[in-house]
C-alpha cells in the first residue's frame, strides 16, 4: 500500500525571508514584494494588538517582525525598488512635472505674487520635506532646482534625520516651511485608517503661505481617468504661471485606489478637497499612482492640527464599503 504524502507545513509554503544581514541586492522581485507585504501585514496586526492592549500578542508580533529583519530589511528592499533596474525612484515623476512646467515658462524668471512664493523662480530652489526618505541621491536630490530635507523613522544615512513626521515640531518661522511635502509610499505604511487621516490633516501645517483663490471658492472637479495628465481646471494657469506651490506629492500602490473596498479616487479627491487641496497632476502605472495636490487653503479642516474626540468618534469620511468584492483589499483612510 503506497504511503500517503504528508502535507507540507504552512511555514514551509511561505517564501524564505532572509535574515536582516542578507544582501537585498540579490533578492528577486517576487521575494522583495513578499517581504514588503508580510511586513505591512505584521505592522497592521501589531497596531490592532496595541489598540486592544493585547500585550502577549503584541510581543509575539514584534518578535516576528524582528525575525523577518525588521524595519531595516524593509527599507533596504524598498531601496532596491528605487534602483534603475527595478524602475527608478518615484521622485522622477515629480521632477519631470516640475521640469516640464518650468520649460513651459521658457526659463523666464517669475516674480512672487500676492505675497506667496507659489511659482518657480530661476534663482530660488524648491524646498521639499521628504518623509520616509531612503536615499540621499534620488532624482530630486540630484536636481539643482530642489533643496531637500529628509526624515525617516529609521535613518539609513547621516543626511537623513531620524524623526517621526507626526512628532515633528510645527514650523515657527517661514524658513522652516516647505513648498512641497513628499509622502511617497508613506501613507500606505501607516498601520491604521485613522492615523492615515491624521497624517493627511497635518501636512498643510508645514507649507509656505498659499496664494490665489481658496478651495472653497473653487467648485471645479478633476475627474480624468487613467494615464498621466494635469487637472484641466488649472492647465491654463499652469501654462501661464508654471508649477504652483505649496503642494503634496503623494504616491500610493495603485491597488489602494483601484481595488480597495473602502477607497477609490473620487473618495480620495473628496477627502483632499475637504482638507483644502485640488489635484494638479496624476500619473498611474501598473504598480503605483502618483499625485500632486496643490494646497489652496480654505479647507474645512484648516487650522485644525488633529481631529477632536467627537470627529474621531463620528468622522466625516468613515470606513464604509464602496466597492464590494471578495478579492478586494482593505486599504482605507478615515477623516
Amino acid at each position: 500500500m503506497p504511503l500517503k504524502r504528508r502535507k507540507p507545513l504552512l511555514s514551509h509554503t511561505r517564501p524564505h525571508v532572509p535574515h536582516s544581514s542578507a544582501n537585498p541586492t540579490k533578492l528577486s522581485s517576487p521575494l522583495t514584494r513578499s517581504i514588503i507585504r508580510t511586513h505591512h501585514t505584521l505592522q497592521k496586526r501589531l497596531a490592532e494588538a496595541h489598540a486592544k492592549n493585547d500585550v502577549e500578542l503584541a510581543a509575539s508580533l514584534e518578535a516576528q517582525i524582528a525575525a523577518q529583519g525588521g524595519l531595516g530589511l524593509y527599507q533596504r528592499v524598498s531601496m532596491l525598488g528605487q534602483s534603475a533596474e527595478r524602475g527608478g525612484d518615484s521622485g522622477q515623476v515629480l521632477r519631470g512635472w516640475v521640469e516640464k512646467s518650468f520649460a513651459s515658462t521658457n526659463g523666464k524668471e517669475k516674480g512672487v505674487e500676492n505675497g506667496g512664493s507659489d511659482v518657480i523662480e530661476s534663482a530660488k530652489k524648491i524646498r521639499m520635506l521628504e518623509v520616509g526618505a531612503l536615499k540621499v541621491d534620488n532624482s530630486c536630490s540630484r536636481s539643482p532646482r530642489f533643496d531637500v530635507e529628509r526624515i525617516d523613522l529609521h535613518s539609513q544615512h547621516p543626511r537623513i534625520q531620524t524623526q517621526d513626521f507626526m512628532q515633528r515640531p510645527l514650523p515657527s518661522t517661514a524658513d522652516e516651511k516647505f513648498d512641497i511635502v513628499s509622502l511617497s509610499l508613506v501613507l500606505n505604511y501607516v498601520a491604521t485608517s485613522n492615523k492615515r487621516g491624521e497624517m493627511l490633516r497635518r501636512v498643510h501645517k508645514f507649507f509656505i503661505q498659499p496664494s490665489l483663490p481658496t478651495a472653497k471658492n473653487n467648485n471645479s472637479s478633476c475627474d480624468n481617468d487613467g494615464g498621466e495628465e494635469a487637472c484641466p481646471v488649472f492647465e491654463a494657469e499652469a501654462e501661464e504661471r508654471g508649477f504652483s506651490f505649496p503642494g503634496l506629492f503623494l504616491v500610493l500602490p495603485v491597488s489602494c485606489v483601484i481595488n480597495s473596498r473602502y477607497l477609490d479616487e473620487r473618495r480620495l479627491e473628496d477627502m483632499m478637497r475637504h482638507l483644502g487641496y485640488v489635484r494638479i497632476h496624476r500619473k498611474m502605472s501598473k504598480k503605483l499612482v502618483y499625485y500632486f495636490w496643490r494646497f489652496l487653503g480654505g479647507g474645512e479642516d484648516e487650522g485644525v492640527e488633529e481631529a477632536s474626540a467627537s470627529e474621531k468618534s463620528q468622522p466625516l469620511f468613515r470606513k464604509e464599503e464602496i466597492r464590494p468584492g471578495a478579492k478586494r483589499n482593505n486599504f482605507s483612510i478615515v477623516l
Side-chain angles (χ1 to χ4, degrees), residues 17 22 26 58 72-73 83 126 148-149 248 265 280 315 332:
V17 178
K26 297 180 179 180
L73 180 61
S83 65
I126 302 163
V148 184
E149 184 170 334
L248 168 64
E265 289 199 294
I280 300 296
S332 62

Side-chain angles (χ1 to χ4, degrees), residues 61-95:
L61 291 167
E62 287 172 349
Q64 291 181 57
I65 292 170
Q68 192 205 19
L71 183 58
L73 180 61
Y74 172 86
Q75 289 178 313
R76 290 195 290 275
V77 298
S78 297
M79 289 172 65
L80 182 58
Q82 292 189 8
S83 65
E85 294 80 6
R86 300 280 179 95
D89 68 274
S90 59
Q92 289 180 327
V93 175
L94 175 61
R95 181 176 174 177

Side-chain angles (χ1 to χ4, degrees), residues 18-119:
H19 187 267
S20 58
S21 61
N23 183 358
T25 60
K26 297 180 179 180
L27 304 181
S28 66
S29 293
L31 183 51
T32 57
R33 288 195 296 270
S34 175
I35 292 171
I36 289 171
R37 282 195 302 269
T38 302
H39 186 83
H40 278 254
T41 300
L42 290 173
Q43 288 287 351
K44 180 181 177 181
R45 292 180 60 198
L46 178 60
E48 293 170 349
H50 283 309
K52 297 176 181 178
N53 292 319
D54 191 332
V55 178
E56 185 176 345
L57 177 58
S60 173
L61 291 167
E62 287 172 349
Q64 291 181 57
I65 292 170
Q68 192 205 19
L71 183 58
L73 180 61
Y74 172 86
Q75 289 178 313
R76 290 195 290 275
V77 298
S78 297
M79 289 172 65
L80 182 58
Q82 292 189 8
S83 65
E85 294 80 6
R86 300 280 179 95
D89 68 274
S90 59
Q92 289 180 327
V93 175
L94 175 61
R95 181 176 174 177
W97 286 337
V98 169
E99 295 289 356
K100 181 179 179 181
S101 183
F102 186 84
S104 72
T105 67
N106 297 317
K108 296 178 181 178
E109 185 168 343
K110 307 289 284 188
V112 177
E113 302 180 17
N114 301 326
S117 177
D118 65 338
V119 294

Side-chain angles (χ1 to χ4, degrees), residues 101-225:
S101 183
F102 186 84
S104 72
T105 67
N106 297 317
K108 296 178 181 178
E109 185 168 343
K110 307 289 284 188
V112 177
E113 302 180 17
N114 301 326
S117 177
D118 65 338
V119 294
I120 293 176
E121 299 175 81
S122 61
K124 180 181 179 297
K125 288 192 173 185
I126 302 163
R127 293 204 69 228
M128 182 169 77
L129 176 63
E130 184 180 1
V131 182
L134 297 175
K135 303 174 69 176
V136 298
D137 60 349
N138 57 17
S139 183
C140 290
S141 297
R142 295 194 305 270
S143 169
R145 303 206 191 282
F146 286 86
D147 175 15
V148 184
E149 184 170 334
R150 309 168 188 87
I151 63 173
D152 190 64
L153 291 171
H154 184 72
S155 172
Q156 299 287 303
H157 193 281
R159 286 164 56 193
I160 300 174
Q161 182 181 356
T162 298
Q163 187 180 64
D164 182 346
F165 174 70
M166 299 304 293
Q167 301 300 319
R168 182 183 175 90
L170 296 178
S172 57
T173 67
D175 291 341
E176 296 173 347
K177 296 185 177 183
F178 298 89
D179 302 297
I180 298 175
V181 172
S182 171
L183 297 180
S184 177
L185 298 178
V186 170
L187 200 63
N188 55 296
Y189 183 83
V190 177
T192 69
S193 304
N194 292 83
K195 288 184 178 179
R196 293 176 195 133
E198 291 171 13
M199 178 173 279
L200 287 180
R201 280 180 186 270
R202 200 165 200 263
V203 168
H204 79 270
K205 296 286 185 177
F206 296 88
F207 285 146
I208 59 170
Q209 181 65 33
S211 60
L212 298 180
T214 65
K216 281 185 176 178
N217 298 325
N218 172 43
N219 296 317
S220 304
S221 180
C222 304
D223 294 321
N224 297 324
D225 297 319

